[in-house]
Amino acid sequence: MSIHDDHNSSPWKSYYGPNLGYVQEQYELFLSDPNAVEASVRDMFVRWGAPPSAASLATEPAASAGAGTQVSGSAAAAAAGPVDSNMLKKVVAAHQLMLNIRRYGHLGADINPLGISQAADTKLLDPETFGLSQQDLASIPASLIWDNAPASVSNGWDAIVRLREIYTRSAAYEFTHIHDENERTWLNKQAESGSFPAPLSKREKEALLERLMQVEQFESFIHKTFVGQKRFSIEGVDMLVPVLDEIVRAVAHDGAHDILIGMAHRGRLNVLTHVLGKPYEKIFSEFHHSPNKELVPSEGSIGINYGWSGDVKYHLGADRAFTEGETVRARVTLANNPSHLEFVNPVVEGFTRAAQEDRSKPGFPEQELHSAVTVCVHGDAAFIGEGIVAETLNFNNLQGYRNGGTLHIIANNRLGFTTNSVDSRSTYYASDLAKGFDIPIVHVNADDPEACLAAVRLACEYRLIFKKGFVIDLIGYRRYGHNEMDDPDATQPLVYSKVRNHPTVATIYADQLKSEQTISAEQADQLREKTTGALQAGYDAMKANEGKAHVQVAQESGAIVPEDVRTAVPMETLKEINLELLNRPEGFNEYSKLQRILQRRATSLNDGEKLDWAHAETLAFATILADGTPIRLSGQDSERGTFAHRHIMLNDNATAEKFSPLHMFPQAKASFAVHNSPLSETAVLAFEYGYNVFAPESFVIWEAQFGDFANVAQVIFDQFMSAGRAKWSQKSGIVVLLPHGYEGQGPEHSSARLERFLQLSADNNWTVANLTTSAQYFHLLRKQAAMLGSDSVRPLVMMAPKSLLRNPRVASHGVEFSEGSFKPVLPQFSFTEPKAAKEKVKRLILGTGKVMVDLEEAMSSKEEGELGWLRVARVEQLYPLPQAELERIFSQFPKLEEIVWVQEEPKNQGSWLYMEPRLRELAPGKAKVQYIGRPDRASTATGHQEIHAAEQQSIISSALNGQPFESSLVRG
């Protein structure tokens, strides 16, 4: 055994590169002034002498003392010789040059197929910038400046030349912004390894060429056959299809059973046919029967194409199962998407999270990250321009939304409609946004097919190992205008003078393979003829079927959701569950104030007691879970509830560990997930919508912090929730809770914009409700859960309460939960009252929501019999309009003179404009339909509490004073 143990061996052998340079600098300071260095470093110099110079490391002389010989500090210093500070500086400079090549090499990369970009400043990649010559670099061992240097690279000059080749070719890397050193090291090692990119086999190259020919010929065939029709051609970024092919192959090989794709229109038809397997015949049929050949705007998004009843062909999605024998290996889904481009991104993120989760057990769902993968295809202008992209990227590492990494592809044609990049972004690259979310980026020339596939393989491997997203910036061009009816020469003359003479990527790659002698010219011609023949065969088949009767996709009848769904729960079951929900884990330290509040629920189901809104919600959730239906609830502050009412997730007061009673009560048969969302409405609502669409058996709820915050998510309501079924037959049972009600909190905390949802209501596309009792809420939630997965399911938009959460008039007796059901209209009178009493009624007040509770409170102070001329009914479900219930109520009062709609919202808002024509149609005989409420206003509500209170009191007084309508209008 050697007498040189760790204690006695020299420490200098562990220093190299910049670290060695630092030690050398410290030694120079030590020689001039020993006190100028730290004591620990000074002790090392005293004990071990001078560190070795770079020159001595390069030659590595065999000057060791014999085994067993102890070398003194002074002897070691003498052996090392004088410090060559000039060489030391050159080593440090060379290492900095290497780091710069890693960081800025992309600036000099060959990533623009047209070669017309403004040249970047690449001085930081040149040895001269650092005072280094070829001779200087050649004198430095490669290992001192490049830790991944292969054995074939022996000196610094060869290392720098090789690194510049790696980082400035047709794939350019941006990894230095990645915070985790392990990830950064792995990425650099992959990029710099001699086996990267892994060469394609002869068979893979032939298959890639054939796919590129299919992509090109498909576009060319449509261009010539259906002249002038829009298709949003893929040409210029043709490699998008092989890139998607490779992603599907790679992630399926790694265990993914679902690949969920979101993309806008460009290249969508090509992806549908070649990645999703939609037959040529089907696509040609849609073009042949398209009525929108001459339509504007550019998307041509008017009209119905044959075979699809609700949307244009380049908005539609598809599914495809890839099988091995009798087994489905993976399913690829392309999501339906409107013209709102990037808004599909969070929808497919929701798809993926739903596909990854097992919801069959109590507690949080169990997530398997590798079982499903999201792929988002972006436009370059949209990626940086649409804020929804940043909202979606923010999901990357959030507990409630992460999915193990989304693969992002920017189909970069360097244009946004007619807008150049210089006018559409302030960043150098379209992809720069991703840097802030710690996502690696590879820019790749779309005219280099093999480099594109290498980028895909790197991205998929990175996701598999680190469970994070990746961006591939696929840089190409756009061969035609924004659509095939545009003339791009008017706006990009220089670009299109270049494009006209630029060969297609299929031609470029075919020439490359011929020069490599991978294929012959005859083989290339045969592949092209094969592709053309398949396209012609699809067209001929479409023409042969032209004379046959076409079956148009039938529009759904939009039948109203059945009202006979049983939602009551036996009292014994309610009491058992209620008590179980009050149990806590052993050692759990509950906040004492909250404990007192929640423990009051123990007796709420006893005779004479009532359940408030939050308690009713908790019991609804618990009984839904007991029925075996999983629940997912999200929103800003939804664990506690915006108004400190829910407390569905409890925090240990000592450890801050979280616990939900809904995770451990014994009756639960399914998962319960609740997540405080990021400060986003659009992306979060879209995510939850996507989750529910993909997992229709799940009860998914999104809650706005205040109802009007839903304004920000208007695209999701307009294009997906309200219209998705009509456009794409895409069903959803998502519940949206929008706090709504006038309490004097000002314009932004009053109205959930009920009028907008009613304006979007048609074809029984959803349910819009504004409830006033906790039992009504309980039953409507259970009714909605019972509809999940059925053809009758529709989204539910609910105006949720704020001050009513704790209003005793909203609380309901236990028997209403065990024996009741949801009532679309709540009459505040008895249908069995004497005929004489009914004949005295002159005015019937209708309204919805909080104002009706205010009205009830005001009526409670009146003397009995004082209001014999008046009756009141609350319309709890606004859409679908409960017409039969209203007609039954109207028929009770033969002497009715006026039906008055009372609301707290301004006249041009709320539900009046929706209700007025419907009430006039239903009103009996001579009964007039009148309005009491605030006048038309631009703003939703006043910002002054005293004005609000006066207006609210005026509304109530006007409703109850029995005066003619004209004198009771609140004019404000």
Side-chain angles (χ1 to χ4, degrees):
M1 179 172 137
S2 172
I3 64 172
H4 291 88
D5 59 18
D6 290 342
H7 179 70
N8 292 320
S9 61
S10 170
W12 305 133
K13 64 182 181 181
S14 61
Y15 289 85
Y16 59 91
N19 291 333
L20 177 62
Y22 174 79
V23 173
Q24 291 281 6
E25 291 176 349
Q26 292 295 301
Y27 188 68
E28 289 183 14
L29 286 174
F30 167 74
L31 292 177
S32 62
D33 180 7
N35 294 321
V37 298
E38 293 182 2
S40 60
V41 178
R42 184 169 61 246
D43 291 342
M44 291 174 66
F45 292 144
V46 170
R47 179 169 184 178
W48 302 106
S53 67
S56 67
L57 282 178
T59 57
E60 293 187 1
S64 64
T69 303
Q70 177 69 44
V71 182
S72 69
S74 59
V83 175
D84 186 345
S85 59
N86 187 52
M87 175 56 72
L88 178 61
K89 290 178 181 177
K90 291 184 184 300
V91 171
V92 173
H95 187 78
Q96 183 60 49
L97 174 60
M98 181 276 294
L99 294 178
N100 272 15
I101 292 173
R102 282 179 175 171
R103 181 183 296 271
Y104 302 116
H106 57 87
L107 295 176
D110 178 22
I111 54 177
N112 181 8
L114 298 181
I116 56 176
S117 294
Q118 184 176 353
D121 184 354
T122 58
K123 291 194 296 291
L124 289 174
L125 309 179
D126 296 332
E128 293 81 4
T129 302
F130 297 86
L132 296 168
S133 67
Q134 180 175 347
Q135 184 179 1
D136 292 333
L137 289 168
S139 68
I140 302 173
S143 60
L144 288 183
I145 60 176
W146 182 18
D147 47 0
N148 293 329
S152 60
V153 176
S154 60
N155 62 63
W157 174 256
D158 291 343
I160 293 302
V161 169
R162 176 65 180 141
L163 283 167
R164 284 204 61 160
E165 177 190 347
I166 289 170
Y167 283 97
T168 62
R169 57 191 177 191
S170 53
Y173 310 103
E174 289 196 89
F175 300 150
T176 52
H177 61 277
I178 302 300
H179 293 119
D180 188 285
E181 185 176 356
N182 291 331
E183 293 179 33
R184 202 167 55 247
T185 300
W186 183 90
L187 287 162
N188 288 330
K189 187 175 182 180
Q190 297 305 306
E192 297 165 10
S193 68
S195 60
F196 185 85
L200 300 182
S201 67
K202 182 177 184 295
R203 181 172 173 273
E204 287 175 320
K205 290 182 178 184
E206 290 175 355
L208 176 53
L209 177 59
E210 182 174 8
R211 181 59 105 195
L212 285 172
M213 287 183 172
Q214 290 170 349
V215 171
E216 177 187 316
Q217 291 300 306
F218 173 79
E219 300 287 357
S220 179
F221 188 90
I222 294 176
H223 192 69
K224 295 174 183 176
T225 308
F226 305 103
V227 178
Q229 288 206 47
K230 302 182 188 72
R231 67 180 189 278
F232 296 94
S233 161
I234 201 173
E235 292 162 283
V237 285
D238 306 51
M239 270 304 297
L240 176 60
V241 168
V243 161
L244 291 174
D245 286 338
E246 184 66 15
I247 288 175
V248 171
R249 184 205 63 77
V251 300
H253 178 269
D254 293 332
H257 55 70
D258 278 290
I259 300 100
L260 295 314
I261 304 174
M263 67 179 294
H265 340 316
R266 184 153 310 283
R268 192 180 186 91
L269 296 180
N270 219 305
V271 170
L272 277 168
T273 190
H274 292 125
V275 181
L276 278 297
K278 188 172 181 178
Y280 290 150
E281 177 186 354
K282 181 77 169 176
I283 289 180
F284 295 157
S285 177
E286 292 168 1
F287 275 98
H288 190 63
H289 295 89
S290 176
N292 63 356
K293 299 176 184 179
E294 306 300 331
L295 292 178
V296 290
S298 61
E299 282 77 1
S301 51
I302 312 172
I304 298 174
N305 296 287
Y306 165 70
W308 306 93
S309 64
D311 208 346
V312 291
K313 47 192 166 288
Y314 34 77
H315 291 174
L316 300 170
D319 293 286
R320 181 182 186 183
F322 289 84
T323 60
E324 285 184 354
E326 298 296 320
T327 304
V328 174
R329 182 178 178 187
R331 180 174 293 278
V332 180
T333 300
L334 177 65
N336 301 298
N337 191 40
S339 285
H340 290 66
L341 299 175
E342 303 290 336
F343 286 82
V344 76
N345 298 343
V347 174
V348 293
E349 298 278 351
F351 283 4
T352 304
R353 183 63 179 249
Q356 291 176 343
E357 290 190 335
D358 178 0
R359 295 169 288 275
S360 61
K361 302 173 185 176
F364 275 108
E366 296 178 1
Q367 187 178 12
E368 174 49 63
L369 295 176
H370 298 315
S371 65
V373 176
T374 309
V375 182
C376 288
V377 182
H378 312 269
D380 52 304
F383 187 84
I384 193 68
E386 294 282 0
I388 188 68
V389 176
E391 290 187 36
T392 307
L393 291 175
N394 191 43
F395 290 155
N396 191 41
N397 205 31
L398 300 182
Q399 183 65 34
Y401 305 88
R402 64 186 179 90
N403 61 19
T406 295
L407 299 176
H408 299 273
I409 304 165
I410 300 177
N412 190 342
N413 56 40
R414 302 167 61 81
L415 281 172
F417 201 171
T418 66
T419 303
N420 293 314
S421 298
V422 69
D423 296 314
S424 66
R425 65 172 188 258
S426 297
T427 59
Y428 190 83
Y429 292 117
S431 58
D432 283 348
L433 175 67
K435 292 180 182 178
F437 296 93
D438 211 36
I439 299 173
I441 301 165
V442 173
H443 310 279
V444 62
N445 190 320
D447 273 1
D448 187 340
E450 293 183 21
C452 294
L453 295 194
V456 171
R457 292 175 181 180
L458 177 64
C460 293
E461 187 73 9
Y462 175 82
R463 182 192 182 276
L464 183 68
I465 294 173
F466 298 105
K467 302 176 179 60
K468 288 178 58 181
F470 201 99
V471 171
I472 297 173
D473 185 13
L474 184 65
I475 302 176
Y477 55 91
R478 192 182 69 195
R479 186 159 289 277
Y480 298 102
H482 174 66
N483 61 63
E484 290 64 36
M485 294 174 65
D486 282 340
D487 180 2
D489 286 83
T491 51
Q492 278 79 31
L494 297 181
V495 171
Y496 280 92
S497 66
K498 190 90 171 180
V499 168
R500 277 191 293 273
N501 300 311
H502 189 75
T504 66
V505 65
T507 300
I508 293 170
Y509 194 53
D511 290 344
Q512 175 185 326
L513 296 189
K514 283 184 281 188
S515 68
E516 294 174 359
Q517 297 186 342
T518 301
I519 64 169
S520 65
E522 291 75 19
Q523 287 174 307
D525 291 339
Q526 288 170 4
L527 284 177
R528 196 173 293 275
E529 290 171 7
K530 177 183 174 182
T531 299
T532 304
L535 289 161
Q536 187 63 49
Y539 182 79
D540 292 342
M542 180 272 294
K543 292 291 287 183
N545 292 323
E546 187 177 7
K548 298 180 181 178
H550 295 302
V551 179
Q552 189 81 0
V553 176
Q555 291 283 0
E556 295 187 76
S557 62
I560 294 176
V561 174
E563 300 296 335
D564 58 354
V565 178
R566 178 171 173 78
T567 57
V569 178
M571 181 59 71
E572 182 180 350
T573 301
L574 287 173
K575 287 184 175 181
E576 288 175 358
I577 292 176
N578 189 51
L579 291 177
E580 293 287 354
L581 293 175
L582 297 176
N583 291 333
R584 304 291 180 260
E586 186 176 351
F588 186 80
N589 301 288
E590 190 167 3
Y591 178 42
S592 58
K593 178 181 177 181
L594 183 57
Q595 182 182 34
R596 290 193 300 271
I597 293 171
L598 296 180
Q599 286 297 325
R600 294 175 194 156
R601 294 181 176 182
T603 59
S604 294
L605 288 166
N606 294 347
D607 290 343
E609 299 291 328
K610 288 185 175 182
L611 286 76
D612 65 13
W613 192 274
H615 193 182
E617 179 187 73
T618 301
L619 282 181
F621 288 168
T623 55
I624 289 168
L625 293 172
D627 291 338
T629 299
I631 298 174
R632 177 183 167 93
L633 165 66
S634 80
Q636 295 155 22
D637 315 293
S638 285
E639 289 183 2
R640 188 202 76 169
T642 298
F643 309 99
H645 66 286
R646 179 173 289 122
H647 296 288
I648 209 76
M649 182 67 73
L650 306 177
N651 298 279
D652 189 293
N653 206 38
T655 67
E657 291 185 8
K658 292 180 178 291
F659 154 74
S660 176
L662 292 177
H663 284 163
M664 62 176 293
F665 76 103
Q667 294 88 346
K669 298 184 182 68
S671 65
F672 175 73
V674 56
H675 299 289
N676 286 339
S677 75
L679 193 62
S680 157
E681 289 80 31
T682 309
V684 173
L685 175 60
F687 184 100
E688 304 305 343
Y689 172 83
Y691 192 106
N692 177 245
V693 167
F694 195 89
E697 80 289 354
S698 297
F699 193 40
V700 179
I701 305 168
W702 175 71
E703 179 180 54
Q705 190 176 67
F706 284 90
D708 57 294
F709 291 1
N711 286 350
V712 183
Q714 201 64 43
V715 169
I716 309 305
F717 289 115
D718 289 355
Q719 307 301 332
F720 291 91
M721 275 185 60
S722 69
R725 185 163 184 144
K727 292 192 294 187
W728 311 313
S729 295
Q730 187 163 284
K731 299 173 186 175
S732 170
I734 187 172
V735 176
V736 174
L737 302 179
L738 305 176
H740 175 88
Y742 281 55
E743 284 97 359
Q745 296 189 59
E748 276 71 60
H749 288 164
S750 295
S751 175
R753 292 293 193 177
L754 173 59
E755 65 277 2
R756 295 183 179 173
F757 298 98
L758 293 175
Q759 184 185 37
L760 291 169
S761 298
D763 300 324
N764 291 303
N765 57 334
W766 55 20
T767 300
V768 180
N770 193 6
L771 311 182
T772 56
T773 78
S774 62
Q776 284 279 85
Y777 185 42
F778 174 88
H779 289 296
L780 188 53
L781 288 178
R782 286 186 48 79
K783 177 182 177 182
Q784 184 72 7
M787 293 291 101
L788 295 173
S790 73
D791 187 61
S792 300
V793 73
R794 301 289 193 279
L796 170 60
V797 178
M798 189 183 303
M799 303 294 108
K802 295 180 293 179
S803 64
L804 296 189
L805 290 169
R806 296 176 176 84
N807 191 313
R809 294 185 179 277
V810 173
S812 302
H813 291 286
V815 68
E816 297 178 65
F817 298 83
S818 62
E819 298 179 10
S821 63
F822 175 69
K823 301 293 190 298
V825 181
L826 283 181
Q828 293 183 251
F829 60 85
S830 171
F831 282 94
T832 60
E833 65 182 353
K835 181 180 178 182
K838 294 179 180 179
E839 289 180 343
K840 294 180 181 179
V841 174
K842 306 297 183 184
R843 173 183 286 182
L844 173 65
I845 292 179
L846 299 177
T848 186
K850 175 184 169 291
V851 70
M852 303 306 288
V853 179
D854 294 345
L855 195 62
E856 178 186 305
E857 185 173 356
M859 292 173 65
S860 67
S861 64
K862 302 289 184 179
E863 294 293 333
E864 186 175 353
E866 189 177 346
L867 298 175
W869 54 275
L870 177 71
R871 293 293 183 272
V872 176
R874 304 176 185 178
V875 181
E876 302 275 288
Q877 177 180 297
L878 291 156
Y879 186 84
L881 185 70
Q883 181 174 328
E885 289 86 344
L886 290 172
E887 288 178 334
R888 184 186 176 204
I889 290 172
F890 295 163
S891 67
Q892 298 297 305
F893 310 112
K895 303 292 181 65
L896 194 62
E897 294 179 359
E898 58 177 356
I899 298 168
V900 176
W901 184 262
V902 175
Q903 68 178 37
E904 53 190 357
E905 302 89 351
K907 189 177 183 182
N908 58 320
Q909 300 169 35
S911 43
W912 166 244
L913 295 180
Y914 162 80
M915 291 297 298
E916 180 188 15
R918 292 162 177 81
L919 291 178
R920 292 193 190 283
E921 186 176 337
L922 298 177
K926 299 178 181 180
K928 296 180 180 179
V929 176
Q930 312 282 22
Y931 167 83
I932 291 178
R934 289 173 171 85
D936 291 349
R937 284 195 175 140
S939 179
T940 54
T942 179
H944 302 284
Q945 176 64 40
E946 64 276 11
I947 294 177
H948 159 77
E951 289 181 341
Q952 201 77 354
Q953 182 56 48
S954 180
I955 292 171
I956 301 303
S957 299
S958 298
L960 301 181
N961 68 8
Q963 296 300 313
F965 166 73
E966 286 75 18
S967 63
S968 62
L969 175 63
V970 176
R971 300 192 180 278

